[in-house]
Amino acid sequence: MILVKDNRCDFCGTCVAVCPVDAIELREADISIIHDTCIDCDICIWVCPIDVLSSDVKEEVEHD
Amino acid sequence: MTDYDVIVVGGGPAGSMAAEAAAKQGARTIMLEKDRDIGYPVRCGEGVGAFGLKKFIEPDPAWIATTISKVRMRSPDNTLIDFGMDDAGFILHRRLFDYALANQASQAGVEIQTRAYVDGLIIEDDCVRGVKYQYMGEHKQLTAKLVIAADGVESRVGRMAGLRTATKLKDMDSGYQATVGNIDVDQEMIDFYVGSNWAPGGYLWIFPKGNGMANIGLGINGIYAKEHSAHDMLHGFLDKYFPKASVLTSVCGGIPIAKTLKKITSNGLMLTGDAARMVNPVTGGGIITGMVGGQIAGDVAGLAIQSGDYSEKAFDGYPKRWHKAEGKTHEAFYRIGEGIAQITDDQLNKIAHRLVKTPSENLSLLKIFTAVAREKPKILLDVTRAFAGI
Ligand SMILES: Cc1cc2nc3c(=O)[nH]c(=O)nc-3n(C[C@H](O)[C@H](O)[C@H](O)COP(=O)(O)OP(=O)(O)OC[C@H]3O[C@@H](n4cnc5c(N)ncnc54)[C@H](O)[C@@H]3O)c2cc1C
Ligand code: SF4
Ligand code: SF4
């Protein structure tokens, strides 16, 4: 699942632009991930210029 | 009877130009902007060429921060390549510039609504016939004969109509910029750093904004953004070179360095500006090119309203005119960009060592790209194409 750090997002839309399945909802100052649509490809995490997003799946995989 | 002839979504440079052009053709036009302000926040280095700008609006000292006549490029080992610009450049105050463009549109008859977040389309018989939007917590809708989506890098409106606007990671630069005060930089010069130190796969820029201020920003190519954070790299740069600078504004943003989308129209819908991926894939400049695209889209919209045909076919002239004006050149730049992406820091240094021997009055962007092509011969033809504008 993609996690959004609180009070960090700048609402620039870069993650929205690369999301292959349109799973990110962005208003003037409000961002949310549509978890049912998200395919956990992680590219939004990488492209975000200020590291707002992270994944909880990743941690689990690393601990395996 | 529809509420409007044309609805433009997004109040950036592309949206304002599209709305103005449609209104000038007699179309009843409204432009919807999600933010409270037109022109703010400014996610942009604010650099434009004077020649391109003057085609659309008379330069006004109120929104021109500085006038640029010199360029400096630095290789990874800090070899400086200095040269003069053929065409003068401006660093804008985009907050005021975007305002001026929107005002120009409103003077042509365009209605403007801010705080209007478009979150859906009205689609009937496979044709876009209006938008659903939220205004201050209320759900509303408007009907129109056609919609122009100028909703910037996010480009969700196109997706709502089934167009493929998602951009590949390699075609997106992850950007971060600070407008800083209390620094001493040449106010007539733009300064670029290339190489992996400060901007892997992209570049770092210093654009002077007058009175000891400058926009200092960088874009990292998406494929390197996994390992590097644009925010951290920029702050590393500021700490090293401008430790006394104070950050007056900082923003992040994505720069789509893709080719224009294959499909920028569907029944009742046209995409333009960043939403259609109309940014120059090498320079990342999208203000003027967005205005070029926006104006064509608005013009074609106006003609469609006059003819009463809003089908995709009726918009045929739009991609064609865009391709002729900029799209073709961008495709050459895109291939140049792919070549440049493979150039190593060592090669960049080598190119710089060669160029530094050339007297600066003999240097130009074309010369520089030609020197790059010596390292990557396969881009030579595209360099010729890109600079001949064919
Ligand atoms: C860090 C950075 C530096 C840059 N530097 C330069 C530069 O120096 N020179 C240059 O030429 N270009 C530069 N660019 C690119 C340039 O900023 C863009 O290409 C340009 O702003 C595109 O204009 P536009 O009108 O297409 O989109 P925008 O200016 O992004 O406008 C789109 C508008 O649509 C609104 N919107 C989005 N979704 C909705 C919705 N659902 N409903 C209603 N409104 C919506 C947004 O709020 C926004 O106001 C830079 C970009 C970045 C990120
Ligand atoms: S890319 Fe980062 S800062 Fe920009 S909208 Fe997405 S999460 Fe927020
Ligand atoms: S992980 Fe992939 S699918 Fe999920 S929100 Fe991010 S970009 Fe979209």
Side-chain angles (χ1 to χ4, degrees):
Chain A
M1 197 169 79
I2 298 296
L3 308 172
V4 182
K5 284 196 193 87
D6 284 345
N7 303 322
R8 188 170 171 120
C9 180
D10 195 36
F11 315 108
C12 70
T14 312
C15 55
V16 179
V18 299
C19 176
V21 293
D22 203 16
I24 306 174
E25 190 78 34
L26 183 70
R27 307 283 156 98
E28 181 171 15
D30 179 30
I31 182 167
S32 53
I33 309 290
I34 308 162
H35 295 293
D36 287 347
T37 314
C38 173
I39 53 168
D40 286 302
C41 71
D42 286 358
I43 62 174
C44 56
I45 302 178
W46 306 334
V47 86
C48 174
I50 54 173
D51 305 322
V52 172
L53 306 169
S54 60
S55 165
D56 59 357
V57 177
K58 217 167 151 190
E59 309 264 346
E60 280 166 30
V61 171
E62 278 167 8
H63 288 291
D64 271 348
Chain B
M1 176 88 174
T2 53
D3 296 319
Y4 290 91
D5 291 331
V6 177
I7 296 172
V8 177
V9 183
S16 283
M17 285 312 304
E20 182 187 344
K24 279 187 172 161
Q25 292 279 4
R28 292 174 303 129
T29 306
I30 186 168
M31 182 165 85
L32 305 176
E33 165 56 49
K34 75 173 160 54
D35 290 347
R36 191 188 58 190
D37 302 89
I38 297 285
Y40 180 81
V42 178
R43 303 188 189 282
C44 186
E46 308 180 283
V48 292
F51 178 74
L53 180 86
K54 284 176 186 162
K55 289 186 197 158
F56 298 105
I57 188 166
E58 197 49 46
D60 179 347
W63 41 255
I64 292 177
T66 51
T67 302
I68 304 300
S69 57
K70 296 178 280 184
V71 186
R72 169 166 289 172
M73 290 194 156
R74 300 171 192 252
S75 65
D77 68 1
N78 213 23
T79 305
L80 310 185
I81 308 299
D82 286 328
F83 58 101
M85 283 165 69
D86 306 336
D87 169 31
F90 297 127
I91 307 303
L92 305 172
H93 292 298
R94 261 199 73 182
R95 189 176 187 162
L96 300 175
F97 173 72
D98 285 21
Y99 244 73
L101 290 182
N103 187 33
Q104 193 169 286
S106 69
Q107 280 164 2
V110 174
E111 286 177 44
I112 297 173
Q113 175 74 71
T114 58
R115 298 182 189 266
Y117 175 70
V118 172
D119 61 356
L121 290 174
I122 302 170
I123 300 177
E124 285 166 10
D125 305 327
D126 194 31
C127 183
V128 176
R129 297 186 190 276
V131 301
K132 298 172 186 170
Y133 69 105
Q134 290 181 41
Y135 173 71
M136 300 186 77
E138 277 177 55
H139 292 269
K140 299 183 169 226
Q141 59 179 54
L142 284 173
T143 56
K145 290 169 181 151
L146 65 95
V147 172
I148 298 177
D151 54 333
V153 72
E154 291 158 54
S155 194
R156 291 194 72 206
V157 174
R159 295 198 204 198
M160 293 169 195
L163 294 179
R164 295 162 68 103
T165 70
T167 293
K168 291 199 181 94
L169 194 61
K170 73 173 174 68
D171 288 340
M172 182 66 74
D173 279 1
S174 174
Y176 190 78
Q177 174 181 275
T179 302
V180 303
N182 189 30
I183 63 167
D184 182 22
V185 294
D186 186 331
Q187 292 292 328
E188 287 174 27
M189 186 175 79
I190 49 179
D191 195 350
F192 297 97
Y193 293 67
V194 296
S196 61
N197 313 2
W198 301 115
Y203 63 85
L204 178 147
W205 63 89
I206 303 179
F207 290 177
K209 280 210 79 177
N211 299 323
M213 293 184 286
N215 288 336
I216 306 184
L218 55 80
I220 298 175
N221 184 269
I223 52 174
Y224 298 103
K226 188 176 177 184
E227 277 90 38
H228 301 279
S229 139
H231 167 274
D232 294 354
M233 284 201 113
L234 187 77
H235 280 283
F237 179 84
L238 292 177
D239 288 347
K240 180 161 179 193
Y241 291 106
F242 299 104
K244 293 210 175 82
S246 39
V247 175
L248 306 177
T249 309
S250 61
V251 286
C252 62
I255 307 142
I257 46 159
K259 278 188 266 192
T260 305
L261 299 176
K262 279 213 180 75
K263 210 163 164 333
I264 55 173
T265 59
S266 71
N267 293 330
L269 181 72
M270 285 184 255
L271 308 190
T272 197
D274 274 19
R277 311 307 182 217
M278 291 180 164
V279 173
N280 179 308
V282 169
T283 65
I287 302 172
I288 303 294
T289 55
M291 290 166 74
V292 171
Q295 191 183 52
I296 301 171
D299 193 51
V300 169
L303 295 171
I305 300 297
Q306 288 165 18
S307 75
D309 182 357
Y310 325 112
S311 68
E312 188 181 327
K313 199 135 192 3
F315 306 150
D316 256 4
Y318 173 41
K320 277 191 195 136
R321 281 166 65 183
W322 161 256
H323 195 66
K324 205 165 162 230
E326 299 283 348
K328 229 173 157 188
T329 310
H330 281 192
E331 283 176 11
F333 270 115
Y334 183 82
R335 290 186 295 265
I336 294 171
E338 283 181 320
I340 293 177
Q342 295 163 4
I343 290 182
T344 62
D345 281 3
D346 283 344
Q347 283 175 305
L348 286 171
N349 289 331
K350 202 166 125 196
I351 294 165
H353 297 161
R354 215 182 285 143
L355 282 168
V356 81
K357 294 186 200 128
T358 313
S360 58
E361 58 273 19
N362 293 344
L363 279 176
S364 63
L365 268 184
L366 174 58
K367 279 259 166 63
I368 289 178
F369 277 102
T370 310
V372 174
R374 267 179 74 175
E375 289 296 316
K376 277 269 167 257
K378 72 169 197 212
I379 69 168
L380 187 59
L381 183 59
D382 283 313
V383 168
T384 316
R385 284 197 185 114
F387 282 85
I390 48 171

